[in-house]
Each structure stands twice: as C-alpha cells, then as structure tokens.
Amino acid sequence: MNRIGFIGLGNMGQGMATNLLDNGVKLTVFTRSKDKISSMEQKGANGAYTLEELTNNSDIIFTCLPDTKTSLEIITGKEGILSYSDDKKIIVDHSTVDLSTSKKCFEFVTSKGSDFLDAPISGGPTGANDGSLSIMVGGDEKSYKSALKYFKMMGTTVKHMGESG
C-alpha cells in the first residue's frame, strides 16, 4: 500500500486532502500553518511538522502550493522534498505554475531517481471540496497509473495528457 503525503492546505489543498481522508487514505500532511495541520489531524490525518517527516513517511507526495517560488522551494530547493530521502518517490504538483517551472521540477526530480507528474487542476475551491476537480496529468504513464486512484478521489475528470509539461 502506498504511503501518501500532501503538502499545502490552502483553499484548494485542504479540500483535496480531506477527500483523500474521506476515501480511507492513510494520509500525512504538511503545511506552514501548524493550525491547519492540527485541523487535519482532527480529521484523521497524520500531521508532519517538517518536510523531512512528511518525506520519510510518503511514497507519493501531492503538492498544492500557492505560487511558483514556493513550488520550486519545496520541490527543488536545498531543503526540499528530495533532500531528505534517496528512496524513489512520485511527486505530483497540482500548483498553478508556468510550463518552465513544471519542466524544472521534472528535470530535478527525475535527476534524483524519482518521478514527477505535473497535474494542473480546474474547478476552484468548490471542486476541491466536493471532489469534482478536473485534473490534467503530464508525466510517466506508470507513475500516472500508480496515482490514478488518488486522482479519482479528488476529481471527476482525470486525463493523462502525455509526457510532463
């Protein structure tokens, strides 16, 4: 069974993570706000208070971050996700970022021996809360298939669009 991590519990991420929990996923969550972590713990999530803790307890890590800078910091930074583990991971980025950011993340993650899926979402906070997002995924097909059941817990329209980017 995959260990699932979720980073970013803002307007979109909180609903997405809650849908995973509501579907029985054993979920570890991390965000900068300890109050948001605590709130998710009350819903049944395992709270991680550092990126290292989340990384070491997750095989597939979903991110839904507020901006390009934060995405790059969390995914490719010196103290980012993969700085804490040499184990192969699947990193899925749902953040609203530009194509060059997704390509940088893909190149970095794959150079570390893990897989990266860019997975933009459409549907807003309402779609995130009710599990009706549209999720368009780019990246390795095997990794896509590994994450597909989780995508389906967060969205009603899920499409593999081909390679990353």
Side-chain angles (χ1 to χ4, degrees), residues 23-157:
N23 280 282
V25 173
K26 184 178 179 194
L27 185 67
T28 301
V29 298
F30 172 81
T31 197
R32 291 180 270 196
S33 166
K34 291 183 177 167
D35 290 342
K36 288 182 180 180
I37 295 172
S38 179
S39 173
M40 292 304 289
E41 286 175 321
Q42 292 171 13
K43 294 179 182 182
N46 297 314
Y49 290 86
T50 65
L51 268 182
E52 181 176 16
E53 186 180 355
L54 180 125
T55 299
N56 288 328
N57 289 294
S58 305
D59 303 310
I60 301 175
I61 301 172
F62 294 90
T63 65
C64 191
L65 302 164
D67 54 45
T68 297
K69 180 182 176 204
T70 306
S71 289
L72 288 170
E73 179 184 316
I74 295 293
I75 297 171
T76 70
K78 284 184 181 177
E79 295 181 12
I81 296 167
L82 296 176
S83 67
Y84 299 109
S85 173
D86 290 330
D87 296 341
K88 183 173 180 164
K89 309 280 183 195
I90 298 173
I91 310 298
V92 181
D93 189 24
H94 292 292
S95 310
T96 302
V97 298
D98 59 13
L99 180 60
S100 69
T101 300
S102 289
K103 286 187 174 199
K104 284 178 193 170
C105 291
F106 170 80
E107 289 167 8
F108 179 83
V109 170
T110 56
S111 77
K112 297 288 188 181
S114 286
D115 290 325
F116 179 79
L117 299 172
D118 52 81
I121 50 180
S122 177
T126 300
N129 288 331
D130 66 18
S132 66
L133 292 170
S134 292
I135 306 172
M136 297 133 294
V137 186
D140 176 73
E141 188 168 355
K142 183 178 177 191
S143 294
Y144 167 75
K145 287 180 178 177
S146 294
L148 182 58
K149 72 178 179 179
Y150 306 108
F151 291 138
K152 288 182 175 182
M153 293 174 191
M154 299 182 286
T156 52
T157 303

